[in-house]
Amino acid sequence: MRPTQEDVARRANVSRALVSLVLRDAPNVSERSRRKVLKAAEELGYRPNAFARSLASKQVRTIGVLINDVTNPYFGGVYASFAAAAEKAGHDLLVAPGLRSPSKEVTLVNTLLEHRVAGLALLSPIMATADLRRIAKAWPTVVVGSEVSGVGVDVVTTDERQAMGEVLEHLTGLGHRDIVHITGGQNRAARDRATAYRQAMRDLGLTPREVPGAFTDQGGRQGAQAILDMSPRPTALVAANDLIAVGAMGVFAAAGVRVPEDMSVVGYDDSQIARLELIGLTSIRQPVDRFGTAAVEMLIERIAGNQAGSMVQRIATELVLRDTTAAAPRSR
């Protein structure tokens, strides 16, 4: 049976009310009583021990992490990177799985804050800018994977223009001129990638063509259906993430459109699914290992009060070539 606050009170020879006051960090408790209760709690293995230790040292060393979409393999890599960097820095993590819902994200962040976290790491949040601004104003916050400006948060993200420029240089080098983009929806990361795509196409003197989608394989399937109805049909697709690309490839295969002979496909994230031999997806690799290190360093500095203005660190990407891109077909 797990020890209770009553057990702690008996071990410390104090009242149950005093134990509650100590564990809530109430100000009207003597240091002697506080140490006595925390020592008893530690000896009994009363949970949450991390919370008790933070009270004893007067320093909270837990970071709250909000993950946009736990079903997307990309976020697994980002979280693993962040967790490794946090552990190395001596911090614990409290994780809330986002459900691709702006309102639920806000609720989850409020829950994290109720657990006395020292700071927040938000992995590609989709909550309203006003909510993000309110949270960042009250708590040290870093955003990972999407760009946010003017809300008082530090940001670690990719250089979207560099990434899209490299993709389109590769595709145009293969002779493609009609290149379509399936977007990831209306969230920040998707908008940033769509903006970068449009700019890179125009820089090359090409006409952008976009199909609305979402950061899911279903979004890719729906986008691919729209592409099949286009006339003339594009010869290359740049998807907003790997799930979209793989969903689209399934629809193309069912329709007899060969990848890459008839349609070249590029994904984004270089997640585990892109690296599967059966898929072999050409994709933009984000250096998620560097994401974690940079984000933890930024957040610790902000928690310590050493960072005044907002910082944005854009990390260069790498285009990984596999089996889904080839020379543009010569004729239709």
Side-chain angles (χ1 to χ4, degrees):
M1 179 179 291
R2 295 177 59 185
T4 65
Q5 288 193 12
E6 285 79 10
D7 296 327
V8 175
R10 283 193 293 271
R11 172 65 70 93
N13 195 26
V14 298
S15 68
R16 164 69 174 75
L18 180 59
V19 171
S20 178
L21 288 172
V22 169
L23 296 181
R24 287 190 288 109
D25 198 21
N28 55 335
V29 178
S30 70
E31 188 61 30
R32 181 176 179 275
S33 295
R34 188 183 305 278
R35 290 173 184 257
K36 190 176 182 180
V37 169
L38 293 176
K39 183 174 184 292
E42 188 72 27
E43 289 172 350
L44 290 171
Y46 175 78
R47 301 297 178 185
N49 279 345
F51 179 60
R53 285 195 296 270
S54 73
L55 294 180
S57 66
K58 300 298 183 182
Q59 184 178 14
V60 179
R61 301 189 68 83
T62 301
I63 296 171
V65 182
L66 176 72
I67 301 177
N68 172 294
D69 180 7
V70 295
T71 67
N72 187 331
Y74 159 74
F75 287 105
V78 176
Y79 172 75
S81 167
F82 189 89
E87 181 180 12
K88 186 175 181 180
H91 284 68
D92 299 318
L93 300 182
L94 187 61
V95 182
L99 302 171
R100 301 196 299 272
S101 165
S103 60
K104 289 179 180 177
E105 281 192 353
V106 174
T107 300
L108 288 168
V109 166
N110 289 335
T111 300
L112 290 173
L113 295 178
E114 288 173 1
H115 285 76
R116 288 178 48 88
V117 295
L120 294 167
L122 311 180
L123 309 189
S124 297
I126 60 174
M127 68 180 68
T129 300
D131 290 320
L132 184 56
R133 181 180 291 111
R134 174 181 54 80
I135 291 166
K137 186 175 181 180
W139 225 259
T141 304
V142 62
V143 170
V144 183
S146 60
E147 184 130 358
V148 183
S149 59
V151 296
V153 299
D154 295 322
V155 173
V156 179
T157 188
T158 52
D159 188 332
E160 301 288 3
R161 290 194 175 189
Q162 174 257 328
M164 281 296 180
E166 191 171 354
V167 169
L168 293 179
E169 181 181 356
H170 168 64
L171 291 174
T172 55
L174 292 171
H176 295 279
R177 294 294 179 270
D178 197 345
I179 304 167
V180 67
H181 176 57
I182 299 180
T183 75
Q186 293 302 312
N187 59 77
R188 294 181 185 87
R191 292 199 304 267
D192 290 345
R193 289 176 192 176
T195 299
Y197 159 79
R198 288 192 294 269
Q199 185 60 55
M201 287 287 283
R202 289 170 182 144
D203 288 346
L204 292 167
L206 303 176
T207 301
R209 299 178 75 179
E210 293 180 42
V211 173
F215 278 143
T216 62
D217 58 335
Q218 179 63 23
R221 288 194 291 270
Q222 293 174 347
Q225 290 289 354
I227 291 171
L228 292 177
D229 293 335
M230 288 182 172
S231 181
R233 184 182 297 165
T235 63
L237 162 64
V238 179
N241 76 353
D242 291 341
L243 288 175
I244 293 172
V246 172
M249 287 167 61
V251 171
F252 292 151
V257 176
R258 299 168 300 167
V259 175
E261 293 85 355
D262 303 319
M263 179 79 68
S264 286
V265 178
V266 179
Y268 199 115
D269 291 339
D270 193 38
S271 59
Q272 291 179 340
I273 194 172
R275 299 192 290 270
L276 294 175
E277 290 184 8
L278 184 63
I279 295 174
L281 178 65
T282 294
S283 185
I284 300 168
R285 175 178 293 166
Q286 299 192 68
V288 294
D289 54 332
R290 294 174 60 192
F291 277 9
T293 301
V296 169
E297 288 176 353
M298 281 184 173
L299 190 54
I300 289 175
E301 285 295 302
R302 188 163 287 277
I303 291 170
N306 298 331
Q307 181 61 38
S310 301
M311 291 184 61
V312 177
Q313 183 170 343
R314 298 181 184 88
I315 300 178
T317 60
E318 174 190 0
L319 180 61
V320 181
L321 302 180
R322 295 194 179 92
D323 303 330
T324 59
T325 53
R330 293 184 179 181
S331 61
R332 293 318 229 167

